[in-house]
């Protein structure tokens, strides 16, 4: 058909039924639905869908970490806010609450309690904040005891997995901060820092 909307059966539903269906979708499915036709593109961008999705996805995590799950800035839509928060929630926890959160083997951990006692030094953990540190963790060949400690540090509430834009890239400010960290003392520490800079 010439009209792309005509090929999409969902748009024939009453709008309240369509809204109810869309309300049960996650971020990936809403984004996929938006690609089907113009009607779903507009319907799937509604703040009425993204605000509750944001709350379902991040309220437990924010509560656990003592983070304020702020509303979008003036003029920002909930969809945009959702994806921005996905990309910087761990860094936000570091900036606002001093929490050193890092991802290892697909799970997020709060390394804050280990900051001062970590054999690699606090600089190494701080440089890992908000990042996937799996490669650096494995490179250092941690002991079984260290791996047990890591399991105890795993967050009870994890962020939604599989988000399209769940980037753990640090901002330029965090990169500059990591470069200003005191010089590391061992070759292994230096190698780990270089891995984290990538």
């Amino acid at each position: 058909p010439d009209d792309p909307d005509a090929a999409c059966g969902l748009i024939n539903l009453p709008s309240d039924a369509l809204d109810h269906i869309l309300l049960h979708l996650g971020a990936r499915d809403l984004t996929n639905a938006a690609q089907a036709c113009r009607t779903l593109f507009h319907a799937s961008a509604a703040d009425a869908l993204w605000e509750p999705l944001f709350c379902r996805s991040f309220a437990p995590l924010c509560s656990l970490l003592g983070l304020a799950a702020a509303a979008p800035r003036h003029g920002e839509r909930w969809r945009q806010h959702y994806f921005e928060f996905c990309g910087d929630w761990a860094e936000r926890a570091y900036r606002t609450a001093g929490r050193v959160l890092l991802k290892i083997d697909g799970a997020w951990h709060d390394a804050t309690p280990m900051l001062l006692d970590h054999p690699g030094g606090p600089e190494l953990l701080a440089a890992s904040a908000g990042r996937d540190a799996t490669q650096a963790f494995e490179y250092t060949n941690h002991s079984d005891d260290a791996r047990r400690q890591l399991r105890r540090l795993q967050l009870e509430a994890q962020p939604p997995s599989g988000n399209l834009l769940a980037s753990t890239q640090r901002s330029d400010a965090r990169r500059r901060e990591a470069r200003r960290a005191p010089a590391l003392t061992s070759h292994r520490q230096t190698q780990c820092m270089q891995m984290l800079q990538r």
Side-chain angles (χ1 to χ4, degrees):
D2 293 335
D3 182 9
D5 284 353
C8 185
L10 279 176
I11 64 166
N12 297 325
L13 293 172
S15 62
D16 59 337
L18 177 59
D19 292 344
H20 185 73
I21 290 169
L22 294 177
L23 190 59
H24 294 281
L25 299 181
R28 182 178 300 275
D29 293 331
L30 279 173
T31 304
N32 287 336
Q35 298 174 37
C37 64
R38 281 184 298 238
T39 301
L40 286 179
F41 174 80
H42 294 293
S44 66
D47 282 344
L49 300 173
W50 287 94
E51 182 178 3
L53 178 59
F54 180 88
C55 293
R56 283 193 315 268
S57 300
F58 294 107
L61 188 65
C62 289
S63 176
L64 176 71
L65 299 173
L67 281 177
R73 295 181 298 271
H74 180 69
E76 182 182 45
R77 304 286 309 267
W78 274 98
R79 181 179 190 273
Q80 179 184 358
H81 181 61
Y82 178 93
F83 286 116
E84 285 180 6
F85 197 85
C86 279
D88 75 354
W89 68 271
E91 183 180 337
R92 191 178 297 209
Y94 182 71
R95 276 193 324 263
T96 62
R99 303 293 287 267
V100 178
L101 305 172
L102 45 103
K103 187 176 186 179
I104 297 177
D105 291 330
W108 285 92
H109 301 79
D110 185 353
T112 309
M114 290 292 305
L115 198 58
L116 297 177
D117 297 326
H118 188 265
E123 302 84 13
L124 189 59
L125 287 181
S128 303
R131 305 224 26 189
D132 187 332
T134 303
Q135 186 179 10
F137 184 81
E138 294 302 331
Y139 176 78
T140 58
N141 205 13
H142 281 83
S143 67
D144 289 341
D145 185 52
R147 291 176 186 280
R148 278 191 295 278
Q149 287 180 24
L150 179 68
R151 283 191 294 275
R152 288 192 296 266
L153 298 174
Q154 185 170 328
L155 294 178
E156 293 173 24
Q158 294 282 318
S161 61
N163 285 314
L164 298 174
L165 300 176
S167 166
T168 56
Q169 294 291 324
R170 291 176 298 166
S171 67
D172 290 338
R174 285 280 292 125
R175 285 191 183 99
R176 284 191 300 273
E177 181 182 323
R179 282 189 211 116
R180 285 194 307 261
L184 298 171
T185 57
S186 78
H187 175 70
R188 275 202 189 278
Q189 289 171 320
T190 305
Q191 291 295 106
C192 288
M193 287 294 279
Q194 288 172 350
M195 287 177 196
L196 293 168
Q197 297 285 332
R198 294 183 196 143

